Amino acid sequence: MDLVCPLCNGIKDTVIRCSICSAKMKDNGPIVNFLDDYSPYLSNDITQLVDGAPQDQCVHLFSCEKCKYDKRVKINRVRI
Ligand SMILES: [Zn+2]
Ligand SMILES: [Zn+2]
């Protein structure tokens, strides 16, 4: 069995509402994609440790297209 993130794999759609204006926030993907830009020599595993996210969670960056607010949301990985 594998632990996978339901959002990265398109299994599930999670609706996150903006804390500021309540609009539906857009999923920009896992935060490791962004961290990789700044730490090209780190593997994903190390990046996850740096980010403080446990192995069973995938941290996604959600952003509000209305007011530009963004936040990190921890998504629990599921077993498939
Ligand atoms: Zn994910
Ligand atoms: Zn907003």
Side-chain angles (χ1 to χ4, degrees):
M1 286 205 290
D2 261 338
L3 271 180
V4 299
C5 167
L7 293 195
C8 289
N9 290 273
I11 298 168
K12 204 175 96 182
D13 213 16
T14 299
V15 176
I16 304 289
R17 295 267 168 200
C18 175
S19 324
I20 311 292
C21 71
S22 305
K24 191 185 170 202
M25 298 183 83
K26 182 171 167 278
D27 179 13
N28 287 302
I31 204 101
V32 286
N33 287 356
F34 299 95
L35 291 176
D36 278 349
D37 290 344
Y38 303 103
S39 50
Y41 304 109
L42 297 178
S43 76
N44 277 357
D45 283 354
I46 294 170
T47 308
Q48 281 185 343
L49 283 177
V50 168
D51 193 45
Q55 284 283 306
D56 61 350
Q57 288 183 328
C58 182
V59 182
H60 279 240
L61 183 69
F62 279 81
S63 67
C64 176
E65 289 176 311
K66 230 170 155 183
C67 71
K68 306 299 176 201
Y69 173 77
D70 59 41
K71 67 173 175 182
R72 295 170 176 204
V73 180
K74 285 179 182 155
I75 308 296
N76 288 319
R77 292 184 204 266
V78 293
R79 288 186 188 282
I80 54 164

